[in-house]
Amino acid sequence: MLNIAKKSLAVVVFAFLFLFVSYGQAFAYLDPGTGSMILQGILGGLAATAVAGKIYWRRIKGFFGFKEDMDKDYTKVDVEGKKDDRKK
Amino acid sequence: MFEYEGVLYRQVNNDYAKDYDYLVQSGLNKFLYCNGYLVAHEEVDLSVDQPITPYKIIRPDFVNFISYPYEWCFRQYRDAALLTLDIQRLAVEHGMTLKDASAYNVQFQHGRPVFIDTLSFEKYVEGQPWIAYRQFCQHFLAPLALMAKKDIRLNKLMLGNIDGIPLDLASTLLSGSTWFNPGLAIHLHIHSKTQKAFSDSAGVEKSRKQRQRSVSKNGLLGIIDGLRRTVSRLSYKKSRTEWGDYYKDTNYSEEAFDEKKRAVKDFLKTIRPGNVWDIGANIGVFSRLASEMDIHTVSFDIDPVAVEYNYKMVRDNDERNLLPLLLDLTSPSPDIGWENSERDSLVRRGPVDCVLALALIHHLAISNNVPLERIASFFSKVCSFLIIEFVPKTDSQVQRLLASRKDIFDDYEQQYFEEAFGCFFKVINCKQIKHSERVLYLMENKLHR
């Protein structure tokens, strides 16, 4: 359910971003870093909203008695999925 | 970075002192080191004349062999990318951030990727975007996407683009269908378009205020997680290549193969090298003879499938002394970057104690038409000892190579081979491989010692 909502949101966002960034022609390649920063601003906002949404969704699920998924512990995730024995 | 009495040191300057101290005090340095993410370093008391007075001098652990992204197979590259993202996530959680996300900051040590740039961390200020986001996309995401979605050999594009593959180039090369992959659509295609839109002067003016746009910590972590999902879902579609099935398609009988293994092992025991390059290693069967003797071994091959398979074995079996890498010996990695001295050529990363050149000479002499003297001359530049196999013209593999070309190789004879190599090497031992027509030589470089 959440996945479907997320995917639909993603499609809308793509369409918006595509229209937003497709305007104009770049005549001089002055600073590709500016675009990167601006994109991060937009993506960061969306990601933060998604995180907040996720938290509320969990609360709602919790309210109705569904068990919460635990957050992934990144300190235990290896590049190939077995971090624990990294340093032998 | 400087070298003193053969040891590599790094100087921490005063303007980096706060960030360095925070890295140590926040516990991030210890955490990364203890989990094998970051190369260990030791603070040392060293009084050397430097143009700028150092805040501290550190001595990082020695990395056995420096390799570059254009020499990595797909999985090595993906592991390096995931390591960078995991480090950035951990850094943010510890109140720091990576200011560089260069693929050259990752090396392979003890069979695993490790981050080598201890001085890449700076204090994270809430609201600040990831300054190295663009660099990560250029150095990791673009080449990985091209390798996974277009052609496995496209990491070679990194050779001509020292700061990573420009996103507009990656976006043009990738097929339209990659727009349906949300991660690639956002971080490559839309990213490239955003760069273009804001790179003209009018765009820069317009964007000045927008540039100040802050990214919350949750937002930043969301971006990193999104990148991680995108990278980890990229996979390489296996295709049959020339070498992938080599050992199923060889003219060696089981006895001859075992005999060759024994002979190589005996030669290695005779010379006890500190490090070995196995050139033309295929999936590393003979490299493992050396690495299992605790000798650091680089296992080079031209075939991406063979290197992929070799690296998978290294990871699956936690092999610590073997490093599989891609190499086309007819055009080995050159010196690139500023003043041609940022990334070293293969030859500059030598010499090595011993080179294994097994079932290789016919490919160089016949397929690539390199004269025997020139082959000998090359090996003399990169090793002290050479274990080389001579494959005569009558061998069925050589006949296969000659089937599609005119035989203009009159000099390709054992006697001439010995003469050519005799100019640079002294033959220490020589062994006919039973049940085959091949001969194995152990040679010592005449300039050695």
Side-chain angles (χ1 to χ4, degrees):
Chain A
M1 174 78 176
L2 184 64
N3 272 345
I4 296 168
K6 260 161 108 183
K7 277 180 187 161
S8 322
L9 180 69
V11 170
V12 174
V13 170
F14 284 157
F16 166 74
L17 285 175
F18 184 70
L19 292 172
F20 166 66
V21 297
S22 292
Y23 79 90
Q25 178 68 42
F27 296 106
Y29 215 75
L30 292 181
D31 179 16
T34 309
S36 298
M37 293 298 172
I38 288 168
L39 180 65
Q40 268 194 88
I42 298 166
L43 293 179
L46 291 170
T49 314
V51 169
K54 219 170 165 179
I55 292 167
Y56 282 112
W57 180 243
R58 271 194 203 148
R59 280 188 191 165
I60 293 166
K61 278 209 297 189
F63 181 76
F64 289 106
F66 290 99
K67 211 180 164 189
E68 284 183 26
D69 294 335
M70 291 306 288
D71 253 342
K72 217 176 174 184
D73 182 357
Y74 268 82
T75 59
K76 289 204 175 96
V77 178
D78 182 21
V79 284
E80 288 253 305
K82 42 178 184 178
K83 172 65 67 205
D84 296 333
D85 61 352
R86 246 186 110 78
K87 186 145 176 62
K88 274 186 182 168
Chain B
M1 198 138 48
F2 63 95
E3 216 176 290
Y4 180 70
E5 291 180 347
V7 181
L8 196 74
Y9 294 93
R10 292 200 74 178
Q11 172 173 327
V12 183
N13 290 332
N14 281 306
D15 54 0
Y16 186 70
K18 272 186 186 167
D19 289 317
Y20 179 77
D21 287 341
Y22 195 79
L23 175 71
V24 176
Q25 284 154 16
S26 66
L28 178 62
N29 180 53
K30 196 174 171 196
F31 183 89
L32 291 177
Y33 159 65
C34 288
N35 285 281
Y37 285 92
L38 181 68
V39 74
H41 71 257
E42 196 184 1
E43 287 178 16
V44 289
D45 239 347
L46 190 75
S47 42
V48 281
D49 272 343
Q50 289 293 322
I52 305 166
T53 319
Y55 171 64
K56 269 178 186 157
I57 290 177
I58 58 171
R59 185 180 55 212
D61 262 7
F62 177 71
V63 175
N64 285 311
F65 185 83
I66 297 291
S67 61
Y68 301 125
Y70 38 85
E71 298 166 338
W72 298 340
C73 68
F74 179 79
R75 276 179 219 205
Q76 282 174 310
Y77 214 141
R78 193 177 59 182
D79 281 356
L82 294 175
L83 175 86
T84 306
L85 289 171
D86 287 347
I87 290 176
Q88 167 64 357
R89 198 179 210 286
L90 286 162
V92 173
E93 282 166 359
H94 281 79
M96 297 207 85
T97 182
L98 278 180
K99 59 181 175 182
D100 298 302
S102 161
Y104 298 94
N105 281 345
V106 179
Q107 288 301 324
F108 286 83
Q109 180 81 325
H110 306 315
R112 291 165 176 277
V114 64
F115 196 77
I116 57 159
D117 192 4
T118 314
L119 310 185
S120 258
F121 297 88
E122 64 181 8
K123 250 186 127 172
Y124 168 64
V125 180
E126 172 100 37
Q128 174 193 329
W130 186 19
I131 195 90
Y133 168 66
R134 174 174 69 95
Q135 199 181 28
F136 179 86
C137 293
Q138 292 185 177
H139 277 243
F140 290 104
L141 191 60
L144 280 168
L146 287 166
M147 287 169 90
K149 304 285 180 192
K150 209 75 198 171
D151 193 294
I152 196 69
R153 295 165 292 187
L154 281 171
N155 59 335
K156 288 275 181 229
L157 274 181
M158 286 294 284
L159 249 179
N161 296 283
I162 193 83
D163 196 24
I165 301 169
L167 298 185
D168 59 330
L169 175 61
S171 178
T172 311
L173 291 175
L174 284 166
S175 359
S177 62
T178 52
W179 273 92
F180 293 100
N181 176 320
L184 297 184
I186 295 175
H187 300 296
L188 283 185
H189 294 301
I190 293 173
H191 191 172
S192 136
K193 284 187 176 289
T194 324
Q195 286 183 332
K196 265 188 189 164
F198 290 95
S199 63
D200 65 309
S201 47
V204 169
E205 272 310 309
K206 262 186 263 170
S207 69
R208 192 154 290 170
K209 277 186 186 165
Q210 296 185 54
R211 196 176 184 162
Q212 308 300 322
R213 190 193 288 266
S214 71
V215 179
S216 69
K217 189 173 170 182
N218 273 340
L220 179 61
L221 293 175
I223 293 172
I224 299 165
D225 292 349
L227 281 168
R228 198 185 198 286
R229 261 196 307 279
T230 307
V231 170
S232 60
R233 284 177 189 166
L234 287 174
S235 62
Y236 146 67
K237 285 182 232 88
K238 199 179 162 190
S239 62
R240 195 188 178 281
T241 60
E242 197 180 354
W243 305 108
D245 295 328
Y246 182 78
Y247 288 120
K248 288 182 197 151
D249 190 23
T250 173
N251 59 349
Y252 266 113
S253 65
E254 210 171 301
E255 292 95 338
F257 199 67
D258 287 344
E259 170 82 9
K260 181 170 155 185
K261 273 182 168 175
R262 258 195 306 277
V264 172
K265 217 170 173 174
D266 286 347
F267 286 173
L268 285 170
K269 277 182 186 162
T270 312
I271 51 173
R272 296 222 156 264
N275 46 6
V276 166
W277 288 356
D278 183 1
I279 300 180
N282 193 259
I283 56 169
V285 172
F286 291 91
S287 311
R288 281 175 175 79
L289 296 177
S291 67
E292 281 163 12
M293 289 166 77
D294 255 351
I295 300 166
H296 186 267
T297 308
V298 189
S299 195
F300 292 107
D301 204 89
I302 191 173
D303 176 29
V305 178
V307 179
E308 200 75 32
Y309 186 75
N310 200 348
Y311 178 65
K312 188 180 179 302
M313 284 196 286
V314 167
R315 291 307 308 260
D316 289 350
N317 305 322
D318 202 15
E319 295 177 67
R320 295 170 59 84
N321 291 318
L322 194 64
L323 173 60
L325 288 178
L326 276 163
L327 170 75
D328 176 1
L329 194 60
T330 59
S331 177
S333 308
D335 290 321
I336 59 166
W338 186 252
E339 289 187 345
N340 284 109
S341 57
E342 274 184 88
R343 316 289 167 218
D344 288 345
S345 67
L346 176 76
V347 176
R348 280 244 294 242
R349 281 173 280 165
V352 70
D353 287 351
C354 175
V355 160
L356 294 182
L358 309 172
L360 176 72
I361 188 125
H362 51 307
H363 293 291
L364 299 174
I366 292 173
S367 306
N368 291 289
N369 209 2
V370 185
L372 288 170
E373 301 81 16
R374 299 291 295 273
I375 300 174
S377 155
F378 165 75
F379 285 126
S380 75
K381 286 177 191 156
V382 294
C383 65
S384 308
F385 291 95
L386 174 65
I387 298 177
I388 188 165
E389 182 181 21
F390 181 73
V391 187
K393 252 188 197 173
T394 45
D395 187 284
S396 63
Q397 296 286 19
V398 180
Q399 285 301 314
R400 247 167 78 168
L401 297 180
L402 285 170
S404 57
R405 47 176 68 74
K406 199 176 162 199
D407 186 359
I408 50 161
F409 310 97
D410 292 339
D411 292 340
Y412 190 79
E413 294 295 341
Q414 188 174 351
Q415 184 200 342
Y416 192 71
F417 162 82
E418 285 179 5
E419 278 170 29
F421 276 75
C423 300
F424 303 92
F425 290 93
K426 185 174 79 190
V427 175
I428 300 178
N429 204 341
C430 161
K431 210 167 188 177
Q432 174 79 43
I433 308 293
K434 279 182 209 159
H435 313 289
S436 87
E437 296 175 83
R438 303 179 172 197
V439 189
L440 197 68
Y441 290 85
L442 170 62
M443 303 184 180
E444 184 177 6
N445 196 329
K446 284 185 171 169
L447 296 174
H448 181 222
R449 275 185 279 240

